[in-house]
Amino acid sequence: MKEFALYEPTSLKEACALLAQHGDQAKALAGGTDLLVGMKAGWLRPEVVVNLKKIDGLRDISFSERRGLSIGALVTWTQILEHPQVAEHYPALHQAAASMGSYQVRNLGTLAGNLCHASPAANGPVPLLIYEASCLIQGPRSKRTLDLSGLFAGPQKNALAPGELLSEIFLPVPPAGSKSLYLKFAQRKAMELATVAVGSLVQVKKDKFKLVRLALGAVGPVPFRAHKAEKVLLDQAASEEIMRRAAQVAMEESAPISDLRASAEYRRGLLEELTYRALRDCLA
Amino acid sequence: MKKMISLNINGESYQVAVENRRTLLEVLREDLKLTGTRVMCNQGDCGSCTVLLDGVAVNSCLVLASDAVGKQVETIEGVAQGGALHPIQEEFIAKGAIQCGFCTPAMVLTTKALLAANPDPTEEDIKQTVAGTLCRCTGYVRIIDAIKGAAARRKES
């Protein structure tokens, strides 16, 4: 790893000022499970590292029935996995946490870092997209709120401006009576990114789909909501046929590539089947 | 440029001059010669560099040495006390859970962290934990037996 200047600010504002001052030369360090790997391999060669771990108040995860779930920038995957109300109210996020990295990596890695790293195959984005999460973005002079879907600019590329940090993630309370889940297909159970991942959130009333959210991972440059497939199902009676049709539409909305994990063709087939199962299992 | 940091490792204080880029793993092995902590993939995949930071199992190759300042670091050298093996180590020997021994320090330390947080782990809990450390010899069966044995002994005592 190349040597760098290390700053350890104790406030978010100070951190943002340092990041703004050093621009492209600087990287923010949270859990380090992506950043340090990239720096060792030489893909990333920052002159300046701004370590966020001395900043108070970023390690909190809290749930309220009114406001939903709030997750600070330094909250680890282990904290998410062990939070009883995440398992109860946000099962897709709990499932994504359970299959994230490994025991040791979950103790270091953060959800916020996972989102900012912006891998199309990451565990964090897909469940958060179906819960319609939003991000609090802190800049050197001001704050803004961003829908999660606006955070992903391309593979390994986030939409933050120089000097901006993702400081907190909010998940509203899921609609009453809805069911949700996360399906990840990967070569192994541990230490593996998704070949294809699907998140689904479904609310059925009087046997009809009243609300459907589908999110897809590793089948395009960024994780995304399959809005066309969702529309196929809306207000329709729940049947195998309609779920199969929606799965086909989701496949048609996707744009997977061939890489070391799978060919594009294999991913399309996998996506269609996983989307069907994600819908079916929400009805079970 | 190097700076002096103070690390607490296995209850002892060490002053080390380090560059910012140095990982905890490198400082343990290269500066302090605590080579019980293994280096293999050096990118967080294999788990062989596992240490406990304030009791939490982490890959020391993904931790900057400066981030261990103010924390209690425990390595495999600190597990046996006064020349006597820890019950977890005895169980690993008794169950034949050690072959080449390369993953053993990490397996013993993750077991210690697991049992401190969850004294009565299910087989699935154990599998989730050992999945973070690659063992190329045993197929994990005897390691899982040893962890069950260590949990049982912990409950007795």
Side-chain angles (χ1 to χ4, degrees):
Chain A
M1 204 173 358
K2 192 170 77 75
E3 181 62 346
F4 47 82
L6 180 66
Y7 293 95
E8 302 198 312
T10 53
S11 75
L12 264 177
K13 281 206 162 158
E14 199 188 332
C16 292
L18 284 162
L19 288 167
Q21 182 191 337
H22 297 283
D24 289 349
Q25 310 274 298
K27 283 280 177 191
L29 171 64
T33 56
D34 280 318
L35 181 67
L36 294 185
V37 173
M39 287 168 63
K40 287 180 188 204
W43 311 319
L44 301 169
R45 305 177 68 81
E47 298 290 332
V48 171
V49 169
V50 179
N51 187 355
L52 308 180
K53 287 200 274 299
K54 300 285 191 301
I55 302 173
D56 276 343
L58 299 182
R59 292 174 197 277
D60 296 336
I61 174 167
S62 65
F63 176 80
S64 86
E65 298 279 355
R66 205 165 55 83
R67 295 179 49 217
L69 185 67
S70 156
I71 301 172
L74 292 178
V75 170
T76 64
W77 284 103
T78 298
Q79 283 178 274
I80 292 168
L81 184 61
E82 292 178 349
H83 199 285
Q85 284 149 328
V86 171
E88 183 185 347
H89 296 281
Y90 305 92
L93 178 58
H94 178 79
Q95 289 150 4
S99 71
M100 174 68 206
S102 70
Y103 180 72
Q104 295 95 317
V105 167
R106 289 192 292 272
N107 284 335
L108 286 172
T110 64
L111 174 63
N114 185 263
L115 299 177
C116 289
H117 185 59
S119 163
N123 278 36
V126 167
L128 265 57
L129 284 169
I130 62 166
Y131 296 124
E132 301 198 326
S134 61
C135 306
L136 183 63
I137 309 291
Q138 175 81 48
R141 275 171 294 279
S142 59
K143 295 178 200 179
R144 63 183 174 117
T145 305
L146 181 67
D147 280 347
L148 179 72
S149 55
L151 184 68
F152 309 117
Q156 278 81 42
K157 197 172 180 341
N158 67 49
L160 300 183
E164 285 190 326
L165 278 170
L166 167 53
S167 61
E168 204 170 348
I169 304 152
F170 299 103
L171 283 74
V173 179
S178 62
K179 286 197 174 177
S180 52
L181 58 86
Y182 172 74
L183 290 183
K184 172 182 174 180
F185 185 92
Q187 303 288 334
R188 299 183 298 272
K189 286 185 178 172
M191 285 316 298
E192 180 63 309
L193 289 167
T195 308
V196 171
V198 177
S200 58
L201 183 148
V202 169
Q203 187 191 42
V204 173
K205 280 184 187 164
K206 294 180 184 165
D207 289 330
K208 286 188 174 172
F209 287 105
K210 278 295 153 198
L211 181 68
V212 182
R213 296 178 192 160
L214 284 167
L216 313 180
V219 290
V222 297
F224 63 98
R225 283 274 295 276
H227 291 296
K228 287 181 188 161
E230 293 171 1
K231 282 204 188 91
V232 168
L233 295 162
L234 209 59
D235 295 322
Q236 299 296 310
S239 69
E240 161 137 8
E241 192 193 350
I242 196 87
M243 290 189 284
R244 288 279 179 200
R245 193 172 343 139
Q248 191 184 347
V249 170
M251 185 267 283
E252 287 162 5
E253 277 184 87
S254 71
I257 57 166
S258 295
D259 64 10
L260 80 170
R261 287 191 185 81
S263 68
E265 188 185 3
Y266 184 75
R267 280 198 166 95
R268 276 192 286 270
L270 197 53
L271 172 62
E272 190 171 343
E273 182 60 25
L274 282 186
T275 305
Y276 165 72
R277 291 186 192 183
L279 291 165
R280 179 197 67 190
D281 294 354
C282 273
L283 300 183
Chain B
M1 198 181 71
K2 290 185 178 182
K3 66 180 175 197
M4 287 301 291
I5 60 170
S6 175
L7 295 175
N8 187 305
I9 299 160
N10 302 323
E12 284 186 45
S13 181
Y14 296 82
Q15 316 297 316
V16 206
V18 296
E19 288 181 298
N20 294 326
R21 63 175 173 161
R22 301 270 285 166
T23 62
L24 178 58
L25 170 65
E26 290 166 342
V27 171
L28 288 172
R29 287 182 59 86
E30 295 164 14
D31 296 50
L32 305 177
K33 311 298 179 197
L34 293 168
T35 53
T37 305
R38 306 293 196 232
V39 56
M40 191 162 65
C41 79
N42 208 11
Q43 55 179 16
D45 286 331
C46 75
S48 66
C49 66
T50 299
V51 302
L52 306 186
L53 266 191
D54 286 343
V56 176
V58 299
N59 311 89
S60 63
C61 74
L62 296 181
V63 176
L64 294 179
S66 56
D67 263 338
V69 172
K71 292 186 151 66
Q72 304 284 331
V73 182
E74 184 174 350
T75 70
I76 193 65
E77 287 89 349
V79 173
Q81 293 289 325
L85 291 180
H86 191 280
I88 295 170
Q89 293 171 307
E90 290 179 348
E91 282 300 308
F92 269 68
I93 294 167
K95 297 292 190 312
I98 302 168
Q99 285 188 34
C100 85
F102 207 87
C103 71
T104 308
M107 289 291 185
V108 168
L109 287 163
T110 49
T111 301
K112 203 174 173 201
L114 170 70
L115 297 183
N118 179 2
D120 199 11
T122 63
E123 179 151 332
E124 188 53 33
D125 294 335
I126 294 171
K127 286 182 175 176
Q128 284 289 330
T129 308
V130 298
T133 308
L134 270 183
C135 167
R136 59 182 191 173
C137 305
T138 67
Y140 293 88
V141 173
R142 292 180 178 197
I143 292 172
I144 293 166
D145 286 347
I147 297 172
K148 286 180 186 166
R153 277 185 60 171
R154 203 172 181 276
K155 264 197 291 188
E156 283 164 21
S157 61

